[in-house]
């Protein structure tokens, strides 16, 4: 079948549910009369003790068995010590055939490759794959294809019963003796627990792993005691220095700063830059830097935002302190400055991922966005975006909240260089559609800015802005002239991953490249 993004999708995919093709950003809705899924009903009675002596003891107490599904959260990013340690302990106990469903993978999870090779892990469902693990899962046969979901799509899958978590392991920067958790205290503070809050609510069994066990009751509480089954004290759960790494780097690259400046100018002139607007900036270098130039515009025009959402960076906290943003909603804290702000500023609110981006609840925050600025690996003349695969077809990125914010925002702005090295980043067709073009409004490159022809209102608003406006086809032609038209990749028929849209339909499939 050809789906609404123009991609050919097989009618059947081995190891996957019944295929339903992407039909449009809001075309597929919850089945009539459907109810939310939930965790098993359990009770803990007075005098019972949740404290266990080791991760191995917790695995036994949780009843973890072959074939189950386990989850982790990625708030520590490259500073996380928990996921690798737990999987190693599971392997030592001889348990196999697990599906691993973390909120995302980071570079540090390359250590998990041997456990896939040994059959401890046989499949994964997540929002991001990087580095050697991404290469491994692209080029090796698994029991089932990897399922890639956005942050909002993941929580939708959990709440609709498509993704059932048997045991969730929660890295807890501080935890009291009855299971209350927050992320803002302790030597391994990671800030918001927004993804873990969902996992702890939906999993049948929840194990808190902490290096900072304190007396009951803890205050404030992000994850409450009634959602936690067991607690394990370990020496160290992570290194906060690993949070601000990878795409989150602070850039001094002139091209990134130029893209950021153009994006800020688009925001100023596109028509929604008014007192009380709402925004999100993505995690890429240029998109994070856009906040710097946007601050200058906000001060000059004396315009403040009512809110900012998503993963939060320190520059947003500075805007909050200056009164240029009235409230921050934080599902993931991206640096030490943000963790401190979440702890100390009552206008900086922690919230969970269903509140942030679930398309099947009664109103996620992404629905209220005026602007979102996001990055891309490549874009095409249909405004489709790829953030998931490299030019060689290998999985190396993350959907994150890209699809969710793009669908919700009145104006979605994508920043990408025209070329990376000599590779064109504006093409006839992206290798993998990770965000459909119908939800993308403006492409900002270092050589020009293209507006989706469906948004004539934006075209009209920007025509006197001084921005270098041009058709997306002109950007493609310029990229091809400078870098040459890339030859199509040779792909096998084997599907190694499925890109789900946030509503659970199939947006695209990723096939194994022939190398």
């Amino acid at each position: 079948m050809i789906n609404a993004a123009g991609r050919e999708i097989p009618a059947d995919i081995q190891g996957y549910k019944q295929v339903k093709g992407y039909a449009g950003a809001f075309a597929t809705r919850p089945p009539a009369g459907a109810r939310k899924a939930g965790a098993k009903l359990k009770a803990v009675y007075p005098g019972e003790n949740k404290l266990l002596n080791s991760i191995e003891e917790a695995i036994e107490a949780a009843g973890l068995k072959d074939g189950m599904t386990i989850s982790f959260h990625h708030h520590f990013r490259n500073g996380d010590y928990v996921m690798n340690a737990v999987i190693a302990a599971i392997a030592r106990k001889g348990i196999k055939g697990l599906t691993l469903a973390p909120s995302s993978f980071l570079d540090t999870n390359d250590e998990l490759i041997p456990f896939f090779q040994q059959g401890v892990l046989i499949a994964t469902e997540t929002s991001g794959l990087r580095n050697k693990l991404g290469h491994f899962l692209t080029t090796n046969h698994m029991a089932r294809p990897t399922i890639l979901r956005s942050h909002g799509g993941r929580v939708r899958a959990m709440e609709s019963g498509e993704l059932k978590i048997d045991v969730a392991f929660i890295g807890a920067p501080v935890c009291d003796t009855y299971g209350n958790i927050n992320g803002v205290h302790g030597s391994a503070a990671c800030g918001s627990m927004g993804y873990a809050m969902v996992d702890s609510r939906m999993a049948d069994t929840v194990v808190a792993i902490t290096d900072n066990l304190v007396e009951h009751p803890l205050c404030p509480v992000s994850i409450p005691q009634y959602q936690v089954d067991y607690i394990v004290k370990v020496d160290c759960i992570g290194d906060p220095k690993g949070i601000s790494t990878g795409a989150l780097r602070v850039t001094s690259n002139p091209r990134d700063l130029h893209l950021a400046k153009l994006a800020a100018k688009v925001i100023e002139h596109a028509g929604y830059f008014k007192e009380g607007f709402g925004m999100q900036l993505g995690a890429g270098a240029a998109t994070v830097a856009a906040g710097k130039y946007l601050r200058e515009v906000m001060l000059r025009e004396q315009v403040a935002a009512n809110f900012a959402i998503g993963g939060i960076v320190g520059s947003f906290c500075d805007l909050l302190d200056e009164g240029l943003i009235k409230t921050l909603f934080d599902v993931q804290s991206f640096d030490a400055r943000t963790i401190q702000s979440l702890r100390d500023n009552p206008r900086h609110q922690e919230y969970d991922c269903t509140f942030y981006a679930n398309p099947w609840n009664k109103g996620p925050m992404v629905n209220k966005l005026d602007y979102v600025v996001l990055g891309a690996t490549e874009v095409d003349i249909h405004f489709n975006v790829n953030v998931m695969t490299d030019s060689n077809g290998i999985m190396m990125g993350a959907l994150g909240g890209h699809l969710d914010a793009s669908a919700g925002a009145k104006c979605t702005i994508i920043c990408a260089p025209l070329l990376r090295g000599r590779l064109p980043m504006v093409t006839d067709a992206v290798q993998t559609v990770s965000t459909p073009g119908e939800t993308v409004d403006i492409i900002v490159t270092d050589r020009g800015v293209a507006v989706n022809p469906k948004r004539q209102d934006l075209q009209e608003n920007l025509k006197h802005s001084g921005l270098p406006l041009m058709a997306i086809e002109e950007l493609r032609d310029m990229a091809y002239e400078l870098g040459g038209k890339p030859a199509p990749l040779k792909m096998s028929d084997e599907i190694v991953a499925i890109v789900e849209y946030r509503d659970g339909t199939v947006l695209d499939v990723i096939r194994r490249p022939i190398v």
Side-chain angles (χ1 to χ4, degrees), residues 21 42 46 169 175 179 222 257 265 284 293 355 358 400 422 438 505:
K42 293 184 179 180
F169 295 92
C175 179
S222 300
L257 296 177
K265 195 165 185 177
Y293 298 105
F355 193 170
N358 182 357
R422 291 195 60 80
E438 70 169 293
T505 58

Side-chain angles (χ1 to χ4, degrees), residues 373-457:
V373 184
L374 300 164
T377 303
E378 59 173 347
V379 300
D380 69 23
I381 57 173
H382 307 292
F383 286 79
N384 295 313
V385 174
N386 174 22
V387 294
M388 201 60 234
T389 51
D390 205 345
S391 57
N392 55 8
I394 300 294
M395 292 187 282
M396 43 59 71
L399 302 182
H402 207 287
L403 296 76
D404 307 306
S406 295
K410 294 184 179 73
C411 181
T412 297
I413 302 163
I414 303 296
C415 291
L418 193 71
L419 301 171
R420 281 194 174 90
R422 291 195 60 80
L423 289 175
M425 294 297 110
V426 183
T427 65
D428 289 320
V430 292
Q431 180 65 33
T432 303
V433 177
S434 58
T435 296
E438 70 169 293
T439 66
V440 173
D441 301 303
I442 297 174
I443 305 290
V444 174
T445 77
D446 45 325
R447 299 298 186 98
V449 175
V451 179
N452 193 324
K454 295 178 179 177
R455 295 299 308 269
Q456 288 300 309
D457 56 327

Side-chain angles (χ1 to χ4, degrees), residues 266 269-270 442 451 458-467 469:
V266 169
H269 294 282
I442 297 174
V451 179
L458 298 178
Q459 188 81 43
E460 183 67 22
N461 290 339
L462 294 174
K463 69 181 182 182
H464 299 303
S465 65
L467 287 160
L469 299 179

Side-chain angles (χ1 to χ4, degrees), residues 7-10 13 129 134 137-139 145-148 386-390 392-397 399 431-434 491-500 506-513:
R7 308 300 277 199
E8 185 171 355
I9 307 297
I13 300 174
L129 282 165
L137 291 174
T138 309
T139 56
T146 295
I147 299 176
L148 300 167
N386 174 22
V387 294
M388 201 60 234
T389 51
D390 205 345
N392 55 8
I394 300 294
M395 292 187 282
M396 43 59 71
L399 302 182
Q431 180 65 33
T432 303
V433 177
S434 58
M491 311 298 289
S492 73
D493 291 334
E494 183 180 356
I495 294 172
V496 296
I498 297 157
V499 180
E500 283 193 358
V506 178
L507 181 60
D508 207 348
V509 296
I510 298 173
R511 299 177 190 274
R512 183 196 313 283

